[in-house]
Amino acid sequence: MIVKMISIIVPVYNTECYLNECVDSILKQTYSDFELLLIDDGSVDGSADICDHYLRSDDRVRVLHKTNGGSASARSKGIEMANGNYIFCVDSDDWIDIDLLFSWNKILLREKPDIIISSYVRYEDENSIKKCKDGFRNGVYEKETIKSEIIPYMFCRNKDYSGGIAPFFGNKLIRSDLLKKAIEKIDNTISFGDDLVCTFPSITRSNKIVIDNNICGYYYRYNSNSITQSGDTGYLRKLRGLVETLERCFDDKYMEILSDQILQYEIYMMLKIGKINALRFSKSKAGKLYSLYSYYKFLAESKPFHDILSKAQDNCDLFMKEQYKVICRLLNHSIMTGTIMSII
């Protein structure tokens, strides 16, 4: 078995329109000491054939075809198969800059960190391209500063739930043994958030993290139809499954620090998703107000929302005061939709 410095994992499912761009951007890297694992998750378009083409044309490529099980199972399988010292996960509809691995390798040689975090680009279309970075200063974080400066603020730093660490894989290079440990407790049936349950526990177990927002080489293709942007009624059940997985994945010694953050995360996701849904899929102002009101009315009548609210009532500091007022009014069915639009 040949051990490479970096294993790059690409879960693939029905992305034939983007897959060539993704894989080509990886294979053209100026740094070449890597293996590429293409995990075909039961694609029914031409994606499987594209994977096999790259397998035949480049000896750095390994391919696994599996029965469809979702992105969590595909990524976990790739992590199990990885031979590299570090793992980098790329979504099959995204792409990377030609020098990204080269830039990261310079940090690996200099600092030997467990995790590297850099900035990334959110791409929606040619008219909507935004550079994004996490809410932490550039620098080298050792074990004690990770514990005091990063872990208490991973989910958020600010009242508007911003300023934390983006949970997705694309802007991170992570030591492989950390991810192999993380997937031991993952429920592979979760339909979203499978990146969060890997990256955040890995951060808590790391001894050294380098954050360098001057490096910006990952292009994340924003998809407005993804599960975290949809307001279907099954969303609360899926969110609850994600949170339960999260609570299992963290070591007990960190749960005292993280329990409030996880609770706030769940409330934020319950509230935020309705607004996103109303604003994105309703055209007129009246339609937006009606959609928003309908979702929050549904939320007020749902048991998961009541359950999570009862947990939080002992610690109202978890909310912005304005959000708490909105929730209370909502439960009394006396909410004004315009108030929701302006506050949440």
Side-chain angles (χ1 to χ4, degrees):
M1 180 181 68
I2 299 175
V3 177
K4 295 287 188 178
M5 177 63 78
I6 298 173
S7 293
I8 303 173
I9 299 168
V10 181
V12 178
Y13 181 70
N14 291 353
T15 51
E16 63 177 350
C17 293
Y18 303 114
L19 188 55
N20 283 305
E21 180 182 22
C22 172
V23 176
D24 287 343
S25 74
I26 294 169
L27 295 178
K28 291 177 181 178
Q29 289 293 295
T30 53
Y31 173 86
S32 60
D33 187 20
F34 65 85
E35 63 172 358
L36 172 58
L37 281 69
L38 301 176
I39 311 299
D40 169 37
D41 191 36
S43 296
V44 294
D45 63 356
S47 297
D49 291 337
I50 294 172
C51 290
D52 289 339
H53 164 75
Y54 284 107
L55 175 65
R56 293 190 296 268
S57 62
D58 195 307
D59 60 10
R60 294 172 296 179
V61 177
R62 298 163 63 195
V63 172
L64 174 71
H65 299 287
K66 62 183 286 294
T67 303
N68 179 253
S71 61
S73 67
R75 188 176 286 114
S76 292
K77 193 63 182 179
I79 291 171
E80 289 175 8
M81 294 171 56
N83 294 325
N85 296 319
Y86 290 83
I87 290 175
F88 174 36
C89 296
V90 179
D91 286 347
S92 59
D93 53 352
D94 297 339
W95 72 98
I96 62 175
D97 184 78
I98 193 170
D99 290 321
L100 178 58
L101 298 187
F102 178 79
S103 299
W104 277 349
N105 186 58
K106 289 195 294 184
I107 295 175
L108 293 180
L109 294 175
R110 184 177 70 246
E111 300 292 346
K112 296 180 173 57
D114 297 327
I115 298 175
I116 299 173
I117 301 174
S118 56
S119 58
Y120 61 98
V121 175
R122 193 182 94 158
Y123 175 92
E124 189 165 0
D125 55 46
E126 291 296 334
N127 298 314
S128 181
I129 301 173
K130 180 182 179 182
K131 179 180 177 179
C132 304
K133 63 179 182 179
D134 295 330
F136 294 85
R137 60 174 174 80
N138 287 350
V140 178
Y141 295 78
E142 304 283 355
K143 185 66 177 179
E144 288 306 311
T145 51
I146 293 170
K147 187 175 180 180
S148 62
E149 297 184 24
I150 293 182
I151 293 175
Y153 307 104
M154 281 195 306
F155 285 84
C156 67
R157 297 177 68 95
N158 306 317
K159 288 183 177 180
D160 63 351
Y161 210 81
S162 64
I165 290 178
F168 88 121
F169 277 105
N171 67 333
K172 299 173 184 68
L173 184 66
I174 302 175
R175 211 178 69 214
S176 58
D177 61 309
L178 293 175
L179 285 178
K180 289 178 184 292
K181 181 175 178 62
I183 64 173
E184 291 175 0
K185 297 183 179 181
I186 289 178
D187 178 358
N188 283 328
T189 65
I190 59 176
S191 57
F192 70 97
D194 52 295
D195 43 9
L196 171 62
V197 297
C198 284
T199 56
F200 279 18
S202 296
I203 287 171
T204 64
R205 297 182 182 119
S206 62
N207 292 309
K208 191 175 189 179
I209 296 174
V210 172
I211 296 179
D212 189 343
N213 288 310
N214 295 319
I215 298 172
C216 186
Y218 189 94
Y219 292 80
Y220 159 58
R221 195 184 302 273
Y222 179 75
N223 177 11
S224 62
N225 295 318
S226 68
I227 184 64
T228 50
Q229 306 298 333
S230 62
D232 62 278
T233 56
Y235 175 77
L236 298 185
R237 175 179 50 81
K238 296 168 186 174
L239 177 60
R240 183 92 284 272
L242 169 60
V243 170
E244 289 173 353
T245 301
L246 259 180
E247 291 170 341
R248 289 196 306 271
C249 287
F250 288 112
D251 296 335
D252 291 342
K253 63 182 177 180
Y254 290 115
M255 281 307 298
E256 184 177 350
I257 300 173
L258 293 170
S259 58
D260 284 355
Q261 289 191 60
I262 294 172
L263 183 59
Q264 186 174 2
Y265 169 79
E266 186 170 10
I267 294 167
Y268 169 81
M269 292 295 285
M270 284 182 172
L271 293 172
K272 187 69 173 178
I273 202 68
K275 181 175 181 180
I276 291 174
N277 184 49
L279 296 179
R280 184 166 294 277
F281 298 106
S282 301
K283 302 298 183 182
S284 67
K285 183 176 180 180
K288 292 179 188 294
L289 291 174
Y290 178 77
S291 296
L292 196 58
Y293 174 76
S294 297
Y295 177 78
Y296 283 113
K297 185 176 183 292
F298 157 75
L299 198 61
E301 296 169 350
S302 69
K303 185 177 184 297
F305 185 71
H306 283 267
D307 290 344
I308 194 66
L309 185 61
S310 65
K311 289 182 184 179
Q313 283 176 338
D314 292 334
N315 188 354
C316 294
D317 291 339
L318 290 173
F319 305 93
M320 290 189 291
K321 290 181 180 179
E322 294 88 348
Q323 278 190 336
Y324 185 70
K325 290 177 183 177
V326 167
I327 294 167
C328 291
R329 292 178 187 173
L330 180 62
L331 295 176
N332 291 326
H333 288 253
S334 61
I335 191 163
M336 295 296 294
T337 54
T339 304
I340 299 179
M341 294 286 283
S342 64
I343 291 175
I344 297 177

